[in-house]
Amino acid sequence: MFGSAVVWRLSKYLIAAEVVCFGGAYYVWHKMNINQEYRRHMHETHPYVLELFYRTAEMGQIKDARPNDYRQWGILTDTDTGSETGSS
């Protein structure tokens, strides 16, 4: 049905599309990794992408990105609310 030239051409397009997608994903990852304001933008527009970034980063060596961002942005977490209430 398909000639070998057609299959070869389609496979080249598929590989090119994969390279472009990988490059785009790396660009977004790198920008989130170095720019806290971009992470804030992602928090407001695409929170699921930022959650994926945090989970992946926490598996690696970046353990404090989420708490630092939340502290900088003034977002309270469960552990923050517990420590602020205290017993008086």
Side-chain angles (χ1 to χ4, degrees), residues 21-58:
C21 289
F22 180 78
Y26 178 77
Y27 172 76
V28 170
W29 169 267
H30 181 70
K31 197 165 180 181
M32 280 196 294
N33 199 23
I34 64 171
N35 190 339
Q36 189 177 39
E37 288 303 316
Y38 188 69
R39 287 194 301 269
R40 176 66 178 206
H41 168 73
M42 294 301 280
H43 174 73
E44 295 169 353
T45 58
H46 306 291
Y48 52 90
V49 174
L50 185 62
E51 180 65 26
L52 181 63
F53 168 77
Y54 285 144
R55 287 184 184 198
T56 307
E58 288 166 356

Side-chain angles (χ1 to χ4, degrees), residues 68-83:
N68 288 344
D69 287 347
Y70 284 4
R71 193 176 311 111
Q72 181 72 26
W73 303 335
I75 299 173
L76 296 178
T77 61
D78 293 338
T79 57
D80 291 340
T81 57
S83 64

Side-chain angles (χ1 to χ4, degrees), residues 2-33:
F2 291 113
S4 62
V6 173
V7 171
W8 178 250
R9 184 174 296 153
L10 288 175
S11 64
K12 286 194 302 188
Y13 288 134
L14 179 63
I15 291 171
E18 287 179 348
V19 168
V20 167
C21 289
F22 180 78
Y26 178 77
Y27 172 76
V28 170
W29 169 267
H30 181 70
K31 197 165 180 181
M32 280 196 294
N33 199 23

